[in-house]
Amino acid sequence: SQQGEEDPQALSIQEGENATMNCSYKTSINNLQWYRQNSGRGLVHLILIRSNEREKHSGRLRVTLDTSKKSSSLLITASRAADTASYFCATDARDRGSTLGRLYFGRGTQLTVWP
Amino acid sequence: DVKVTQSSRYLVKRTGEKVFLECVQDMDHENMFWYRQDPGLGLRLIYFSYDVKMKEKGDIPEGYSVSREKKERFSLILESASTNQTSMYLCASSLLGGRGGYTFGSGTRLTVV
């Protein structure tokens, strides 16, 4: 499968703590993206990191990418109850030679932040 | 505010019915996608389209077809609905090449009885 795989499947923390989610994938990529999904809703794009980048920040989000290990991590600092959601990584796989921009999604990490 | 709009949030249909799920985007995106999402299985791609009247099969196209007559509209068709097609259906769009990521609709929860 070309899917990314998130780890852990579920994460439960207190407000103010940091949340770290990991993603591993199997093929060469053009970029890796993280999405958030609130219960019963569509996914929202959070951040994109290109294969030649190692780290990227957006507000309280920090994403790292290690292409040698085919892995990425998403760090949410100073988490809030409103961060409770499922988080998905998605890879734009390169080895199929497509430039169409199809993404392969993992199964997600369910993050619960307790007040 | 740019948007992907799915015509229904909830649908209940009977087995054997022909079902149309509509998706409209206002961002002039070339790519449009239909996914289904089931617990434990994540998002699975049904079909996608990179241009008007163009379509590509995803990972699970069986039992589905699509139509893209206009750039902004991508329809998913269940030719003869079955109970195993009960799911959350998500439409998304992106620029060609996926630049900037996907924009998703809010989803349609379809129940086939």
Side-chain angles (χ1 to χ4, degrees):
Chain A
S1 169
Q2 293 175 289
Q3 280 182 317
E5 293 293 337
E6 293 91 346
D7 171 63
Q9 288 187 335
L11 180 61
S12 187
I13 59 174
Q14 295 289 133
E15 263 191 334
E17 294 180 342
N18 294 343
T20 300
M21 289 158 271
N22 302 298
C23 172
S24 59
Y25 58 92
K26 296 179 181 177
T27 64
S28 297
I29 60 172
N30 293 305
N31 63 70
L32 185 143
Q33 303 175 30
W34 285 90
Y35 289 79
R36 166 196 169 123
Q37 183 181 35
N38 286 3
S39 180
R41 308 297 293 185
L43 280 72
V44 175
H45 181 257
L46 293 176
I47 197 165
L48 180 154
I49 186 165
R50 301 187 194 288
S51 60
N52 61 353
E53 296 176 310
R54 292 296 166 259
E55 188 170 314
K56 202 161 184 179
H57 297 254
S58 177
R60 293 186 295 114
L61 305 181
R62 174 178 163 245
V63 169
T64 61
L65 179 64
D66 187 335
T67 53
S68 66
K69 294 181 179 177
K70 291 187 168 58
S71 67
S72 174
S73 67
L74 171 67
L75 168 69
I76 303 174
T77 59
S79 61
R80 306 166 181 165
D83 294 328
T84 294
S86 292
Y87 292 83
F88 295 84
C89 70
T91 54
D92 178 0
R94 177 183 294 176
D95 64 352
R96 295 181 74 176
S98 171
T99 59
L100 297 178
R102 178 191 164 166
L103 294 179
Y104 295 84
F105 287 84
R107 291 183 172 84
T109 293
Q110 173 61 51
L111 173 66
T112 303
V113 182
W114 298 100
Chain B
D1 193 19
V2 294
K3 201 176 285 189
V4 175
T5 302
Q6 295 184 230
S7 53
S8 305
R9 288 281 288 133
Y10 299 95
L11 272 180
V12 180
K13 296 292 182 181
R14 295 196 178 279
T15 301
E17 275 193 77
K18 190 169 186 176
V19 180
F20 293 86
L21 302 183
E22 305 288 346
C23 177
V24 177
Q25 51 97 1
D26 64 0
M27 295 164 285
D28 203 33
H29 281 173
E30 291 86 3
N31 288 354
M32 295 189 76
F33 306 84
W34 275 107
Y35 286 87
R36 64 176 283 177
Q37 184 178 27
D38 301 286
L41 297 178
L43 277 76
R44 293 181 290 168
L45 182 64
I46 304 171
Y47 269 97
F48 65 103
S49 167
Y50 54 90
D51 199 355
V52 176
K53 297 191 187 296
M54 305 303 289
K55 61 184 180 184
E56 292 277 342
K57 292 181 180 179
D59 298 320
I60 51 165
E62 298 78 19
Y64 303 93
S65 62
V66 290
S67 172
R68 193 162 180 205
E69 295 297 319
K70 294 184 178 181
K71 189 175 185 180
E72 67 270 20
R73 186 180 296 270
F74 193 36
S75 303
L76 179 69
I77 303 154
L78 287 65
E79 297 289 344
S80 177
S82 64
T83 54
N84 63 12
Q85 293 177 310
T86 291
S87 186
M88 168 72 103
Y89 289 87
L90 294 166
C91 175
S93 71
S94 77
L95 292 167
L96 196 64
R99 290 171 288 130
Y102 286 14
T103 302
F104 279 85
S106 296
T108 295
R109 187 164 294 280
L110 173 67
T111 302
V112 182
V113 298

